[in-house]
Amino acid sequence: MKYQKIPEATIRRLSRYSRCLEEMEESGEEVVSSAQLASRCMVNAAQVRKDLAYFGEFGIRGVGYHVKNLLNDIKRILGSNKEWRMAVIGVGNLGSALLSYKDFLKQNYKIVASFDIDPPKVIGRVSEKLGKPVEIFHVNRLKEIAKERKIEIGLITTPPSEAQSVADLLVEAGVRGILNFAPTQIVVPEGFVVKDVFFTTILDNLAYLLSNN
Amino acid sequence: MKYQKIPEATIRRLSRYSRCLEEMEESGEEVVSSAQLASRCMVNAAQVRKDLAYFGEFGIRGVGYHVKNLLNDIKRILGSNKEWRMAVIGVGNLGSALLSYKDFLKQNYKIVASFDIDPPKVIGRVSEKLGKPVEIFHVNRLKEIAKERKIEIGLITTPPSEAQSVADLLVEAGVRGILNFAPTQIVVPEGFVVKDVFFTTILDNLAYLLSNN
DNA sequence: TCAATTTTGTGACTCCTTTCACAAAACTTG
DNA sequence: CAAGTTTTGTGAAAGGAGTCACAAAATTGA
């Protein structure tokens, strides 16, 4: 295998494979072929093999892939085998929903702090939801707490008007990854990564497909 | 302009242009060039023009595009000019956050009903949040209410274990569009459309980028 | 009115992604 | 152990998507 640039789409699919493999592992399946995994993930079997080929050889010809091993390998590739420490900034409706979002716990994504301009307002509701409540700090302590708690990813769930200034704070605090739920484009320096989650963009997509089919 | 298949990516970008144009309209800008719009949306100027060219000619050579007209045209193309009637199924933390999600109101996406297995549990919290509270029905009334209220898009925010059966109900009720927040693959017949919003998939993406840069 | 300027719309090119097709490798069975 | 079967890994082909570069169209100003 020679080195090549890895397509963004490949990474997205790896995450999908990872999820499917987890389900398979839970239901006790030990070996899986590229064709089985592909049909489960709604992709082409050659695609599965090619995606994996970017990173090495993981299968046994004539047999397939060991579910457990492949899952580990994919998680190692994605970097989702380690625990990622996250903070939520903006503890409104969406923010507090994320604080108690169960799928984060199953995967290795852990929210270790949260921030708001008006911290006390929601403490009660959040702590009642979880076994171990996530503390809510005032935003002006973001830099301090982010360093202290080694936060690596920030989830921005503020109103759009505040998103860029929160992003600036995160950058200043050295938080290199941002998941932006605020429906506005934010800009960060080289070396930092922003991924947007814009519900209305996805709805626009759906609306287009529904209008034209 | 001859007919061509329109790339999925083009549709996503149109939604982005739409958002930028809205901001421009609000700030009183009347005319915009492809270069300006492009830099604002972080894409190539030729890309903007090509995306639009799939659907016709909207600009004036030597001048640019009229913000207002272009915005209308794009919304018409996307189908986001009409009001879309939606339902939330699964009124947990995420579901109720969506019920009071402000950006839906600004765009033409309206939640007109919600469903849960245990409807009364959250009524108080939801209704207190909004001017006009969204009613919560028992899931077994989904088909009935969906038809009555002309629901076109369903937002699935149940636990993953229930997602497929909820999708089946939506299909049965003739709800053609599904936005799936439950972290599991769901299957629908030809003619129905599912878009997934998997937070952990996006985090996996982020994790990969952070691990390898 | 006409030359200079601006900016669109688009054919051609390049680059990237997916699919195909088959040799190579491992396992199975008699 | 050898022939048959299965399934991987991968070069080559096909298919899409993004960028470039320029003619065409509109405006401006003298």
Side-chain angles (χ1 to χ4, degrees):
Chain A
M1 186 205 64
K2 0 179 180 52
Y3 177 78
Q4 292 182 254
K5 198 198 161 294
I6 287 118
E8 175 96 9
T10 289
I11 300 302
R12 264 198 301 280
R13 280 191 299 268
L14 284 180
S15 173
R16 228 141 109 223
Y17 304 156
S18 159
R19 187 172 289 283
C20 281
L21 288 166
E22 261 166 7
E23 289 175 14
M24 288 175 178
E25 196 187 27
E26 275 171 34
S27 65
E29 293 162 74
E30 300 203 334
V31 172
V32 67
S33 70
S34 59
Q36 290 171 317
L37 185 56
S39 85
R40 186 116 175 207
C41 296
M42 324 270 264
V43 298
N44 182 291
Q47 184 77 79
V48 170
R49 298 198 296 274
K50 184 133 278 197
D51 283 338
L52 295 173
Y54 284 112
F55 303 96
E57 303 195 1
F58 304 98
I60 305 161
R61 297 181 186 212
V63 180
Y65 303 86
H66 281 292
V67 171
K68 221 164 193 155
N69 294 351
L70 186 58
L71 181 56
N72 280 337
D73 288 329
I74 289 180
K75 286 194 162 183
R76 192 176 29 73
I77 293 165
L78 288 175
S80 63
N81 52 343
K82 65 157 266 186
E83 181 181 276
W84 289 89
R85 301 170 66 77
M86 315 197 295
V88 167
I89 303 94
V91 190
N93 292 295
L94 184 56
S96 41
L98 293 177
L99 286 183
S100 46
Y101 187 61
K102 298 199 183 62
D103 202 43
F104 287 158
L105 304 175
K106 273 188 61 179
Q107 314 294 322
N108 294 305
Y109 297 103
K110 195 172 179 188
I111 298 173
V112 296
S114 65
F115 301 88
D116 203 289
I117 310 180
D118 186 13
K121 72 175 174 190
V122 274
I123 269 188
R125 212 167 86 208
V126 173
S127 44
E128 119 211 341
K129 278 280 149 195
L130 243 64
K132 319 139 193 168
V134 178
E135 281 171 276
I136 308 177
F137 299 96
H138 194 281
V139 194
N140 61 20
R141 297 185 65 194
L142 200 157
K143 195 170 171 183
E144 167 203 349
I145 304 285
K147 301 220 162 183
E148 193 180 299
R149 305 210 171 174
K150 298 188 181 18
I151 287 165
E152 300 164 289
I153 296 175
L155 314 187
I156 300 183
T157 48
T158 61
S161 53
E162 314 304 323
Q164 181 63 58
S165 62
V166 165
D168 295 343
L169 285 175
L170 287 169
V171 167
E172 219 192 314
V175 177
R176 285 181 54 228
I178 292 177
L179 195 58
N180 174 37
F181 290 84
T184 188
Q185 208 70 49
I186 65 182
V187 182
V188 293
E190 183 81 30
F192 291 78
V193 191
V194 179
K195 287 277 162 185
D196 297 314
V197 186
F198 294 168
F199 298 152
T200 46
T201 297
I202 309 173
L203 282 175
D204 283 349
N205 236 279
L206 207 48
Y208 173 78
L209 293 170
L210 293 175
S211 304
N212 296 280
N213 287 297
Chain B
M1 187 206 64
K2 2 179 179 54
Y3 177 77
Q4 292 181 255
K5 198 198 161 294
I6 287 117
E8 175 97 7
T10 290
I11 301 301
R12 264 199 300 280
R13 280 189 300 268
L14 284 179
S15 174
R16 221 136 119 225
Y17 304 155
S18 161
R19 188 172 289 282
C20 281
L21 289 166
E22 261 167 6
E23 288 174 14
M24 288 174 178
E25 196 188 27
E26 275 171 34
S27 66
E29 294 163 73
E30 300 204 334
V31 172
V32 67
S33 70
S34 59
Q36 291 171 315
L37 185 55
S39 86
R40 185 118 177 205
C41 296
M42 323 269 265
V43 298
N44 182 291
Q47 183 78 76
V48 171
R49 298 198 296 275
K50 182 136 280 192
D51 284 337
L52 294 173
Y54 285 113
F55 301 97
E57 303 196 0
F58 304 98
I60 305 160
R61 298 182 185 211
V63 180
Y65 304 87
H66 281 292
V67 171
K68 221 164 194 156
N69 294 353
L70 186 57
L71 182 56
N72 280 337
D73 288 328
I74 290 180
K75 286 194 163 184
R76 192 176 30 73
I77 292 164
L78 288 175
S80 63
N81 53 342
K82 64 158 266 183
E83 181 182 276
W84 289 89
R85 301 171 65 78
M86 315 197 295
V88 166
I89 304 94
V91 190
N93 292 294
L94 183 56
S96 41
L98 294 177
L99 286 183
S100 46
Y101 188 61
K102 298 199 183 63
D103 202 43
F104 287 157
L105 305 175
K106 273 189 61 180
Q107 315 293 322
N108 294 306
Y109 297 104
K110 195 171 179 188
I111 297 173
V112 296
S114 66
F115 300 89
D116 203 289
I117 309 179
D118 185 14
K121 72 175 175 190
V122 273
I123 268 187
R125 213 168 84 208
V126 172
S127 44
E128 119 212 340
K129 279 276 147 200
L130 242 66
K132 318 140 192 168
V134 178
E135 281 172 275
I136 307 178
F137 300 96
H138 194 281
V139 193
N140 62 21
R141 296 185 64 194
L142 200 157
K143 195 170 170 182
E144 168 203 348
I145 305 285
K147 302 221 162 183
E148 193 179 299
R149 305 210 171 175
K150 297 190 182 18
I151 288 166
E152 300 163 291
I153 296 175
L155 314 186
I156 300 183
T157 48
T158 61
S161 53
E162 314 306 323
Q164 182 63 57
S165 62
V166 166
D168 294 343
L169 286 175
L170 287 168
V171 167
E172 217 191 316
V175 177
R176 284 181 55 228
I178 293 177
L179 195 58
N180 175 37
F181 290 84
T184 187
Q185 209 70 49
I186 65 182
V187 183
V188 294
E190 184 79 30
F192 292 78
V193 191
V194 179
K195 287 276 161 188
D196 297 315
V197 186
F198 294 168
F199 300 151
T200 46
T201 297
I202 309 172
L203 283 175
D204 283 349
N205 236 277
L206 208 48
Y208 173 77
L209 293 169
L210 294 175
S211 305
N212 296 280
N213 287 297

